[in-house]
Amino acid sequence: MMSSVTSRRGRHPLSAALSVLLLPAAAWAAPAAPSDDPALLDVIKVDAQRQPGKDIVSPTEAPASLVDAAALAARAPGAALIDNGAISGQVQYRGVFGPRVNVRIDGQGFESGGPNLMDPPLHYAPMGLIERLEIDRGIAPVSAGPGLGGGVNAVLKQSRFGADDSWQSTGELAAGGRSANDSYGLSGFAALSNDRVRLHAFALRERGDDIEFPGGTIRSSDHERDVWGFGSGVQTGDHEFRFSARRQDTGPTGNPPFAMDIRYFHTDFWSAGWTHHGERSMLFADVGYTDVEHAMNNFRARPITDPTRFRETYADARTLTGRLGWRQAQGADALEFGLDLRTARKDVRITNPNNASFFVDSLPDIAEERVGAYVEWQRPLGEWRSELGLRVDRSTADAGEAAVGTALPMGPRNLAAAFNARDRDLSYTTTDLVARFWLPGPQHTWRLSLARKSRVGGYVERFAWLPTEASGGLADGNTYVGDLGLEPEVAWIAEAGVDLQLGAGWARPTLWYRRIDDYIQGVPFDDTPGVIDTPVEMVSSMNGDPTPLRFANVDAQIHGVDVDFGYRFSKRWQLDGVASWVKGRRRDIDDDLYRLSPPSLRLGLSWLGEDWRWTLESQHYAEQDEVSQTNSELPSAGYSLFGLRADWILSPALQLQFGVENLTDHEYRPHLAGSNRVSGSDVALGERLPGAGRDAYLRVNWQW
């Protein structure tokens, strides 16, 4: 579990040892001025360097059985995991998920390759390579980019400069495995540096079979992932230069909530940056490039025998990003200006490998571009302190012409012709405003935040002309079409809270509200759902869904409360926890929003020894019966889980973590898990997917 008490009242030896590993990455976070303001320096783990406006979550404070980085992010207050596969999880934060949450890796934003988000951004941040996750607390600053709420930045392990001109080397090797899917993971990291040059390289390999649960095996839930890369930095005088590159190959991986499984993702990341440090100012520039090649099919691990039903989809996404900024700070005042750019090109083609004449460009030659400018200002207002931000973005998008093979019937061919005849050049101007205020005190800090945040719809939401199950990761079994006339989403956000530190106890409750105009939601295609009287409904019915949905602008509101807390009973015993509650509804009709997390509570009771740390953790989820009728969402039952883990420092260089999750081998169905789409599994078709059964794990970590 996570602890602020430990960081304030003395550190456990395990935390002290692991903090040494965290310092290199902390020193190389995205350029930002440090701050001592309590409301901006929220640390919910034992041993992270504090960062402005962020919650810091470390892998060292979570069970070593976690593979998906989204599951690590879900341990933060207000966060939850949408489990779409072993390494395809999404982060839900205060009721929003998918592209509404601004997720980056080492500060670099990029477009996922899959139209169904089989590779959400944290797919590219394996747990074995993560130093920490930085979660924008509540409302992301305008400098982080657009988005409807908070954001997540995964900071990977990196090198740091040395103190003098002598060369020093550091490194880490780790190996682990878990029993629920007979999986293993191996990772290595090595760095060489002095006071002017730093170099590092890393590699990771992961393999896992199908997941076992108390009722049997979840078919097509295996995974494969390999990552390797390097980075470097040079500093001379007031100038600092950095460069990094990495390659990720995701092999055959199951995704039972989707109609297809991953065949491969071949992804390359490149980034470079420069910073000039003045006496009270900083000038910085960054550029990044990502290239994703993707294939998925429905026959690798699924019992499809009819050759006419074989499907394989090819997709790619290429993203170029750039940023130029200037920051000046003096005392409690800080001012930052910035310009940023993001361009992306995407393609999606559906094929039948048994028929060369069967192909369709469902999302053809999509081009998107966003150019933004922002200003942020921190300053005192009497006893209060403030952060004010303004962002303006100009976004454009267009699509090429859809092509359809001769083997397809006239229905899809007519839809393609209608799409090609439409004006597909789109443009938008959006404005974001953020105002944060906090009043520090000796035992409490009051917080208040107000914001206007916006998001332009994704390419599936706008350009999907063929009714398919591509939905940007909803995985609800419905078929969707897009709408070229979608307006950008606009969220009006308010939140208030207090940070309390009372002796050996602490708590950080926050109450928040989002009113979202033009929220993009699937709605019935027309006013007569179930009556097949349009070309789209005819094609969708041929594919098995007579009631397709279309993405449309609706009005919505989401509100909730979350808190993290803890109490140190004695030198050895500590209790901490996280509780979250969220509710979302449509404002235009009487319906709940789709796929919102149920109320949850996580508690951890820890015994802190000199070389040992034991934690008994419980997770409790209430039933969720406030579900979306529009999306045919089913309610779910509540459940409780228990786990036990231990951290053991065998020597300053060697650490061991082991434990058991789901101690009672309880069968449960997380509300945010998708429904099974794989026949021949021990989970019936259409049933909500269960979580893993009793799961023993072990991880060994060696540093030098």
Side-chain angles (χ1 to χ4, degrees):
M1 291 292 294
M2 299 165 291
S3 169
S4 288
V5 176
T6 309
S7 62
R8 296 183 176 106
R9 298 178 59 84
R11 306 175 76 184
H12 177 243
L14 174 66
S15 304
L18 293 174
S19 65
V20 176
L21 297 176
L22 292 172
L23 290 175
W28 285 97
S35 171
D36 294 326
D37 299 323
L40 291 183
L41 301 178
D42 303 315
V43 182
I44 57 173
K45 59 173 289 297
V46 175
D47 53 356
Q49 174 172 319
R50 295 187 167 198
Q51 295 289 319
K54 304 181 187 301
D55 283 343
I56 308 298
V57 185
S58 167
T60 63
E61 292 299 306
S65 60
L66 296 184
V67 176
D68 195 337
L72 177 63
R75 298 176 69 83
L81 170 67
I82 294 182
D83 189 356
N84 282 343
I87 51 177
S88 296
Q90 296 183 45
V91 180
Q92 182 176 118
Y93 187 68
R94 292 185 174 174
V96 298
F97 58 97
R100 294 185 176 99
V101 180
N102 182 15
V103 182
R104 295 142 285 151
I105 299 180
D106 286 333
Q108 181 181 357
F110 58 94
E111 295 292 328
S112 297
N116 239 335
L117 278 188
M118 286 183 175
D119 65 327
L122 289 179
H123 172 88
Y124 298 104
M127 288 286 292
L129 298 179
I130 292 177
E131 282 288 3
R132 66 186 185 275
L133 295 181
E134 300 173 347
I135 301 178
D136 296 320
R137 187 180 187 186
I139 301 172
V142 295
S143 56
L148 285 195
V152 179
N153 181 36
V155 179
L156 304 183
K157 296 173 181 178
Q158 301 180 47
S159 53
R160 63 167 178 169
F161 292 106
D164 51 41
D165 60 0
S166 61
W167 289 93
Q168 296 181 344
S169 64
T170 58
E172 176 182 348
L173 292 174
R178 54 184 294 218
S179 63
N181 61 348
D182 293 330
S183 64
Y184 70 88
L186 305 170
S187 63
F189 172 83
L192 182 66
S193 65
N194 60 17
D195 60 347
R196 292 187 176 274
V197 179
R198 63 179 183 88
L199 305 165
H200 64 264
F202 53 82
L204 172 140
R205 182 180 182 88
E206 294 175 335
R207 297 291 186 272
D209 293 332
D210 289 342
I211 296 172
E212 301 291 332
F213 74 106
T217 301
I218 305 174
R219 184 168 182 169
S220 190
S221 57
D222 54 340
H223 71 277
E224 294 185 13
R225 181 165 53 181
D226 297 311
V227 186
W228 62 95
F230 63 92
S232 62
V234 176
Q235 61 181 9
T236 173
D238 296 331
H239 298 272
E240 176 186 313
F241 303 90
R242 52 194 175 272
F243 176 80
S244 67
R246 70 182 183 278
R247 167 81 172 193
Q248 177 162 316
D249 286 330
T250 301
T253 294
N255 293 89
F258 297 113
M260 297 185 185
D261 297 313
I262 296 170
R263 180 182 159 204
Y264 64 75
F265 280 102
H266 301 317
T267 306
D268 294 307
F269 290 85
W270 303 83
S271 66
W274 162 78
T275 302
H276 175 266
H277 298 277
E279 183 177 353
R280 293 189 179 89
S281 64
M282 178 172 62
L283 184 64
F284 54 89
D286 297 280
V287 63
Y289 180 74
T290 307
D291 188 343
V292 185
E293 295 180 359
H294 171 44
M296 54 182 169
N297 62 49
N298 67 347
F299 52 83
R300 177 191 71 89
R302 307 188 185 205
I304 304 291
T305 57
D306 183 353
T308 65
R309 296 177 56 201
F310 277 48
R311 297 290 183 268
E312 186 153 58
T313 296
Y314 296 90
D316 61 76
R318 300 169 300 282
T319 309
L320 175 66
T321 59
R323 182 175 66 149
L324 176 65
W326 172 83
R327 182 179 179 91
Q328 182 169 354
Q330 183 172 4
D333 283 300
L335 183 64
E336 180 176 329
F337 295 94
L339 300 171
D340 48 37
L341 166 73
R342 179 161 167 168
T343 67
R345 298 298 295 263
K346 308 170 192 175
D347 283 286
V348 178
R349 169 169 280 199
I350 304 171
T351 72
N352 181 342
N354 300 314
N355 187 347
S357 298
F358 187 103
F359 64 87
V360 54
D361 294 333
S362 59
L363 292 159
D365 193 21
I366 309 296
E368 297 178 308
E369 181 176 287
R370 178 186 60 79
V371 179
Y374 69 87
V375 57
E376 281 185 346
W377 187 21
Q378 293 184 22
R379 62 161 302 173
L381 295 174
E383 295 183 355
W384 287 78
R385 301 183 185 181
S386 68
E387 177 185 277
L388 308 175
L390 167 66
R391 162 175 283 276
V392 178
D393 290 288
R394 180 64 175 175
S395 302
T396 61
D398 63 73
E401 291 194 352
V404 179
T406 58
L408 273 81
M410 287 304 298
R413 298 168 69 83
N414 290 336
L415 292 180
F419 176 79
N420 293 339
R422 298 191 61 182
D423 181 6
R424 302 181 300 279
D425 291 332
L426 310 175
S427 60
Y428 317 86
T429 299
T430 56
T431 303
D432 291 0
L433 299 166
V434 173
R436 297 173 47 143
F437 308 94
W438 60 100
L439 178 63
Q443 294 182 319
H444 61 269
T445 296
W446 296 101
R447 298 178 275 107
L448 174 66
S449 298
L450 304 170
R452 180 191 193 272
K453 302 283 284 184
S454 57
R455 180 188 78 96
V456 173
Y459 73 119
V460 174
E461 295 164 327
R462 291 176 290 174
F463 293 112
W465 59 269
L466 181 70
T468 70
E469 294 183 7
S471 59
L474 295 178
D476 58 4
N478 290 302
T479 59
Y480 287 83
V481 292
D483 185 348
L484 292 171
L486 286 178
E487 294 293 329
E489 298 175 325
V490 176
W492 299 90
I493 307 171
E495 65 175 53
V498 61
D499 297 349
L500 298 172
Q501 179 73 58
L502 301 173
W506 61 276
R508 301 187 312 150
T510 302
L511 181 69
W512 54 269
Y513 174 83
R514 286 194 182 101
R515 178 187 174 96
I516 307 176
D517 298 329
D518 293 319
Y519 186 79
I520 299 173
Q521 163 84 40
V523 303
F525 181 76
D526 60 16
D527 294 332
T528 57
V531 179
I532 304 172
D533 54 1
T534 66
V536 167
E537 289 171 307
M538 293 177 187
V539 172
S540 182
S541 181
M542 292 170 53
N543 292 330
D545 185 359
T547 57
L549 301 179
R550 63 179 175 87
F551 289 109
N553 291 122
V554 302
D555 294 325
Q557 66 179 26
I558 312 175
H559 60 276
V561 62
D562 50 64
V563 58
D564 52 332
F565 55 89
Y567 188 81
R568 190 73 174 266
F569 296 100
S570 66
K571 178 181 178 181
R572 298 298 187 192
W573 290 97
Q574 177 175 295
L575 176 73
D576 53 15
V578 173
S580 302
W581 177 84
V582 59
K583 180 178 177 63
R585 292 193 58 79
R586 296 266 298 270
R587 294 176 12 238
D588 50 342
I589 64 171
D590 184 17
D591 195 12
D592 294 291
L593 292 184
Y594 174 64
R595 215 174 185 184
L596 294 184
S597 59
S600 64
L601 170 66
R602 187 173 70 248
L603 293 171
L605 179 64
S606 298
W607 182 85
L608 309 175
E610 297 301 327
D611 299 318
W612 283 88
R613 174 174 179 167
W614 292 88
T615 299
L616 176 64
E617 184 175 88
S618 64
Q619 303 177 60
H620 310 275
Y621 295 87
E623 65 177 6
Q624 179 62 286
D625 55 9
E626 297 178 338
V627 294
S628 171
Q629 301 300 317
T630 301
N631 291 77
S632 305
E633 186 180 14
L634 298 176
S636 62
Y639 59 91
S640 295
L641 301 174
F642 299 89
L644 179 66
R645 72 174 185 268
D647 299 284
W648 182 19
I649 299 178
L650 286 83
S651 73
L654 186 63
Q655 296 92 38
L656 182 69
Q657 186 184 92
F658 56 92
V660 180
E661 292 293 290
N662 193 2
L663 273 168
T664 61
D665 200 27
H666 180 61
E667 184 171 345
Y668 64 100
R669 313 266 169 160
H671 182 76
L672 296 183
S675 299
N676 179 48
R677 304 297 309 284
V678 181
S679 61
S681 175
D682 291 325
V683 183
L685 283 172
E687 278 193 2
R688 183 173 277 117
L689 288 157
R694 185 180 293 115
D695 187 11
Y697 61 87
L698 172 69
R699 179 179 174 85
V700 181
N701 199 76
W702 176 52
Q703 306 114 24
W704 68 88

